[in-house]
Amino acid sequence: MLTRASQIFNYSYKKLKHRLQAPFLRYRHFEYALFTIVLFGKLRYFHHNLNANNIDMNRLDNIIAIGSIILASFWTLWLHGRKRSVALLLLNVLLTGVIFADLVYYRYFQDFLTIPVLLQAGQIGELGESISSLILRSDLWLIADWLIGLAVLSFRIIRHRIGRAGNVSTISNIDASSNAGKVNIDNTSSHDSVSSNHSLSSHDSAASSATYKKRPIRRLLTGLLAFAIGYSMTMGPINHYKNTWARDLFVGNWWTLSLYNITGLLGFHYYDGYRYAKDHFSSKPSLSAKEHEEIQQWFRSAAKARAMGKGDDTFGAYEGSNIVVVQIEALMNFIIGKTVGEEEITPHFNSLMKDSMYFANYYHQTGQGRTSDADFSSNSSLHPLPTGSVFVRYPNHDYDTLPQILGMHGYETSAYHAYEGSFWNRNVMYKAMGYDHFYSKKHYVMDEALGWSLGDKSFFRQSLDFMSKGTEQPFYSFLITLTSHHPYQLPAAERKLNVGDFEGTIFGNYLQSVHYADEALGQLVEGLKQKGLWDHTVLYVYGDHDNSIKDKSAYEKFLGSSLSELDMHQIMNQVPMLIHLPDDRQAGVYKEPAGQLDMAPSLLHLLGIPTESYFMMGNNLFSSSDRFIALRSGAFTDGRVYYIPSADGIFDNGQCYSLDTRRLTSLEPCRRGNEEAKLRLSISDRVIQSNLIQHYR
């Protein structure tokens, strides 16, 4: 019975295989062509899921994508037989992993992975639930070919085992029949036929293999031809873009999404690798004397503008005061003063505003480094980098940082963050920034485990103990909260807001988390008062970056009105900031634009410390000079207009809004500001990457 079944199976399988093996399937490079088609489909899926404005995937982009796949895999054509199959399989797994990682990273950061970010790969595992919440079921399409491959492999294994069992049984029957003097002619014929076919097949295969092995030059030439084709398909369209509408993009590198729009995903990673190697392993081209003079002249002009506030009575008015800065995770401006279910979301912040300076148009200026960028820009008054984090890429370069400057003026400086000290390379960077102490997770008692680490309430309480017991006055304390971090999952006991229709949504969870953070802030203020620090402490509170929730409908539902693109852009880029002065002076709402780069020079102004000798790019918030705020994306505002850049980086494709009418206007009023924003970002990048502050010293 088993013998007959195995014979039928073998016959059916061979017949099916023969029918399926059309001439193109028997083509030597069929599996390579299949690999290319499958990877191209994955790149198309990736692009479709970006949902990026003004970023399409046209015919030339398709050619670039296919060419980049060939460039990544041409070398497999130099391998023979099974080695090539294994190489293509491993390459499939690797490139699929890159595509998937980029997709998840983009959903959170609206950006792509770069080598500097990968150097912080230890952080990816720390994201935990944040990553899992960003993975969609539809992402299974990225591994659909793996599942099909497993099914085919399983089928072959089953077929092999059944066939093997059938052959053994057939041989046993033949032996038994021979011993009895009876030979089963049908089985013998069948066995001979199978053996004959197998022998011929093996002979043909061996002959073909031997022939191919004797021709390594053919494999070499095939691989080189594939490389030439891939290079032409990739670089031809890219050079066309570079010579037309994207002429300056590779010089500015303002935004990785703009580069992706030209190079495609794999091409972007090729370029990123090239750029990283050029930055770190090759001799850097020196700046010309004219470029050095241009940079130094810009800083002299900026210092002169900041010094215009010296005549103000706030200059030096709080000399010797303690400085406490609180950077609150994902705190955004749109919720300040708002209610849900007739309850204030941020009642303690709202109350503190009454006796403080509240800046209603304060912008975060972060890039890929997110929290570390907010930290860096606020304390150094320089822009973050277009890719990666300064904390990780250039921690050994020189910067004029607030803790370093205050340390030279008799302050004891400390950073507080109840998380791993290695995260964002803080252990190294904080020493370079001039902090005397860094209180990380190992210094705290984990008596309120919430979210990523210690809850903000316990964090503030324990940090206050460090300040009051182990720190000499005057001191500078920089505190970074963590509880209101994505994905905003608080335990039921801490969910005190009735968020109504937002219950069970990530937007509702965000409101709950911010409400908790606000309550913790209120306890910090009370703690400062109880410990006798309030009356001689300047308190500076701000949000670090947006909440990564991009769903426009959620904001429209919460605010009860439709939102324009300008509205959404400001919502996603504005964070709240207030300054409380010891005598409650200067309290009020300030509508002039401001940004994170303004923190260091403004606090130094209050303490009477001149900033003319420091290389800072921020404004003095107590100066009467015009304000100009550039964002890392190239967006900017001067209080009169607001420019939103296009994803392709072309000025003419951007949008210029009048802030008086909040309507689109012609691009001309934004042209000069666009050039200034590009100049500022370029100067900051060159200062950081070439360590120019050390040079100018």
Side-chain angles (χ1 to χ4, degrees):
M1 177 75 73
L2 181 61
T3 301
R4 188 61 179 167
S6 65
Q7 291 173 348
I8 294 173
F9 181 89
N10 282 329
Y11 175 76
S12 301
Y13 174 78
K14 287 173 180 277
K15 189 173 182 180
L16 177 64
K17 181 179 179 181
H18 178 74
R19 289 182 176 179
L20 288 176
Q21 282 187 329
F24 73 92
L25 286 175
R26 292 194 295 270
Y27 175 59
R28 181 181 297 124
H29 302 304
F30 167 71
E31 64 180 348
Y32 182 81
L34 182 62
F35 165 86
T36 304
I37 293 170
V38 167
L39 262 295
F40 175 69
K42 294 181 181 184
L43 291 176
R44 292 284 302 182
Y45 173 85
F46 172 86
H47 180 83
H48 176 74
N49 279 266
L50 291 183
N51 297 315
N53 293 330
N54 298 314
I55 300 291
D56 62 358
M57 195 165 181
N58 57 35
R59 184 178 300 175
L60 283 181
D61 296 325
N62 290 332
I63 293 173
I64 291 173
I66 296 172
S68 64
I69 294 170
I70 295 174
L71 283 179
S73 59
F74 74 92
W75 56 272
T76 63
L77 296 172
W78 293 340
L79 304 176
H80 173 65
R82 185 172 297 177
K83 291 181 180 179
R84 184 173 62 212
S85 299
V86 171
L88 287 173
L89 175 63
L90 294 177
L91 193 57
N92 185 327
V93 172
L94 175 63
L95 294 181
T96 301
V98 170
I99 294 170
F100 175 72
D102 272 317
L103 186 58
V104 173
Y105 189 82
Y106 181 85
R107 286 170 181 161
Y108 187 86
F109 292 104
Q110 299 294 288
D111 218 330
F112 302 131
L113 287 164
T114 60
I115 290 179
V117 171
L118 291 175
L119 292 178
Q120 301 141 207
Q123 298 179 184
I124 295 176
E126 303 284 355
L127 291 176
E129 293 181 358
S130 287
I131 287 182
S132 63
S133 68
L134 298 169
I135 300 175
L136 307 180
R137 289 184 180 180
S138 60
D139 294 340
L140 287 173
W141 282 111
L142 290 174
I143 59 171
D145 58 314
W146 299 2
L147 301 177
I148 295 171
L150 285 174
V152 172
L153 180 61
S154 300
F155 177 75
R156 286 186 173 182
I157 291 174
I158 294 172
R159 177 251 171 194
H160 176 73
R161 289 181 176 177
I162 293 177
R164 184 177 180 184
N167 288 336
V168 171
S169 180
T170 301
I171 292 170
S172 299
N173 288 340
I174 292 173
D175 290 342
S177 298
S178 298
N179 292 335
K182 298 178 181 179
V183 178
N184 188 321
I185 297 175
D186 291 339
N187 283 348
T188 302
S189 300
S190 175
H191 178 267
D192 290 344
S193 177
V194 170
S195 299
S196 176
N197 289 337
H198 180 268
S199 177
L200 288 172
S201 177
S202 299
H203 176 75
D204 291 343
S205 177
S208 176
S209 177
T211 300
Y212 195 60
K213 284 182 178 179
K214 291 179 180 178
R215 298 178 179 175
I217 295 179
R218 178 184 295 178
R219 296 201 302 273
L220 175 64
L221 293 177
T222 302
L224 291 176
L225 177 62
F227 173 82
I229 293 173
Y231 185 84
S232 299
M233 293 177 69
T234 303
M235 294 307 300
I238 289 177
N239 284 327
H240 169 72
Y241 289 147
K242 285 175 62 179
N243 294 327
T244 53
W245 58 268
R247 187 179 303 274
D248 297 325
L249 186 58
F250 286 91
V251 178
N253 296 328
W254 310 121
W255 201 8
T256 53
L257 198 61
S258 299
L259 290 173
Y260 163 80
N261 191 34
I262 295 176
T263 63
L265 185 66
L266 298 185
F268 168 79
H269 285 297
Y270 298 155
Y271 178 71
D272 177 57
Y274 159 77
R275 181 172 54 187
Y276 183 82
K278 182 179 179 181
D279 285 347
H280 290 78
F281 304 118
S282 64
S283 57
K284 298 178 182 178
S286 58
L287 299 177
S288 66
K290 181 179 179 181
E291 289 175 305
H292 280 298
E293 177 56 30
E294 177 190 51
I295 292 171
Q296 293 183 79
Q297 179 57 45
W298 190 95
F299 279 108
R300 285 193 290 267
S301 298
K304 183 177 179 181
R306 290 196 303 269
M308 291 177 65
K310 271 191 174 181
D312 187 272
D313 60 1
T314 56
F315 180 76
Y318 303 94
E319 181 179 357
S321 295
N322 301 316
I323 302 291
V324 174
V325 173
V326 182
Q327 179 174 293
I328 300 181
E329 174 67 33
L331 182 64
M332 296 175 67
N333 202 46
F334 77 94
I335 60 170
I336 302 302
K338 296 297 190 296
T339 61
V340 62
E342 299 183 354
E343 185 177 357
E344 288 182 289
I345 300 171
T346 57
H348 298 281
F349 191 99
N350 299 342
S351 177
L352 188 59
M353 281 172 54
K354 298 173 183 178
D355 301 319
S356 305
M357 304 175 68
Y358 169 64
F359 291 80
N361 290 291
Y362 191 79
Y363 293 85
H364 77 81
Q365 295 171 282
T366 65
Q368 284 188 343
R370 303 286 276 180
T371 296
S372 73
D373 281 353
D375 184 339
F376 174 77
S377 293
S378 297
N379 281 287
S380 72
S381 195
L382 292 173
H383 286 280
L385 293 170
T387 60
S389 166
V390 177
F391 275 34
V392 175
R393 292 184 63 184
Y394 301 103
N396 58 335
H397 285 191
D398 285 6
Y399 311 101
D400 289 330
T401 65
L402 187 57
Q404 179 189 71
I405 296 168
L406 292 178
M408 293 188 294
H409 286 79
Y411 277 72
E412 187 166 354
T413 58
S414 304
Y416 302 82
H417 186 49
Y419 203 60
E420 303 295 343
S422 59
F423 200 66
W424 288 123
N425 201 31
R426 286 190 175 96
N427 284 330
V428 175
M429 188 63 182
Y430 281 168
K431 290 181 181 178
M433 291 175 70
Y435 284 108
D436 297 315
H437 313 285
F438 172 33
Y439 296 92
S440 62
K441 184 177 181 179
K442 65 182 180 181
H443 296 94
Y444 290 85
V445 177
M446 301 300 292
D447 56 2
E448 187 196 13
L450 286 180
W452 279 38
S453 183
L454 183 65
D456 291 347
K457 294 176 183 177
S458 178
F459 166 66
F460 284 143
R461 184 178 65 253
Q462 294 185 54
S463 298
L464 275 173
D465 288 340
F466 293 140
M467 286 182 222
S468 59
K469 296 178 181 178
T471 306
E472 294 290 332
Q473 299 189 48
F475 58 74
Y476 172 61
S477 294
F478 184 72
L479 297 90
I480 306 170
T481 74
L482 195 56
T483 305
S484 52
H485 197 288
H486 190 279
Y488 318 114
Q489 294 182 348
L490 287 177
E494 296 294 346
R495 298 182 183 181
K496 300 179 180 180
L497 272 179
N498 176 14
V499 296
D501 294 340
F502 294 108
E503 186 66 40
T505 67
I506 191 170
F507 192 88
N509 292 342
Y510 171 71
L511 298 180
Q512 296 282 12
S513 295
V514 169
H515 185 68
Y516 168 88
D518 175 78
E519 188 175 355
L521 176 64
Q523 292 182 7
L524 172 65
V525 172
E526 288 303 313
L528 287 168
K529 293 177 179 178
Q530 291 173 10
K531 293 185 180 296
L533 300 172
W534 183 251
D535 292 334
H536 47 98
T537 295
V538 174
L539 177 66
Y540 193 106
V541 181
Y542 68 98
D544 62 353
H545 53 69
D546 65 81
N547 58 13
S548 297
I549 301 174
K550 314 295 182 183
D551 183 9
K552 180 180 177 181
S553 62
Y555 295 96
E556 290 181 328
K557 182 177 180 180
F558 174 77
L559 296 171
S561 62
S562 60
L563 299 173
S564 67
E565 187 166 352
L566 172 62
D567 295 330
M568 276 301 297
H569 205 274
Q570 288 188 306
I571 285 174
M572 298 308 296
N573 286 282
Q574 286 185 347
V575 293
M577 190 278 278
L578 61 78
I579 305 174
H580 180 269
L581 301 176
D583 51 8
D584 296 345
R585 287 179 62 193
Q586 307 291 325
V589 177
Y590 295 79
K591 296 185 178 180
E592 297 86 353
Q596 289 170 336
L597 271 67
D598 302 340
M599 186 183 90
S602 300
L603 288 176
L604 290 173
H605 171 91
L606 293 174
L607 299 178
I609 301 175
T611 62
E612 287 89 334
S613 62
Y614 300 122
F615 292 89
M616 295 182 171
M617 304 191 77
N619 305 296
N620 175 7
L621 297 177
F622 301 92
S623 169
S624 59
S625 61
D626 291 340
R627 305 278 180 79
F628 185 91
I629 306 299
L631 307 186
R632 182 65 260 186
S633 64
F636 73 86
T637 182
D638 59 5
R640 295 180 289 273
V641 296
Y642 191 100
Y643 178 73
I644 301 176
S646 171
D648 59 19
I650 301 174
F651 171 72
D652 290 341
N653 290 343
Q655 296 176 320
C656 185
Y657 287 87
S658 165
L659 290 179
D660 289 333
T661 63
R662 299 193 68 80
R663 294 177 181 274
L664 278 171
T665 184
S666 68
L667 286 169
E668 202 55 38
C670 287
R671 188 175 299 278
R672 180 175 296 179
N674 176 66
E675 294 302 318
E676 177 64 22
K678 291 169 64 176
L679 176 62
R680 292 188 182 208
L681 293 171
S682 173
I683 288 175
S684 183
D685 291 345
R686 284 180 283 176
V687 165
I688 294 170
Q689 294 169 345
S690 298
N691 202 12
L692 293 185
I693 292 179
Q694 182 189 63
H695 176 75
Y696 296 152
R697 288 281 180 258

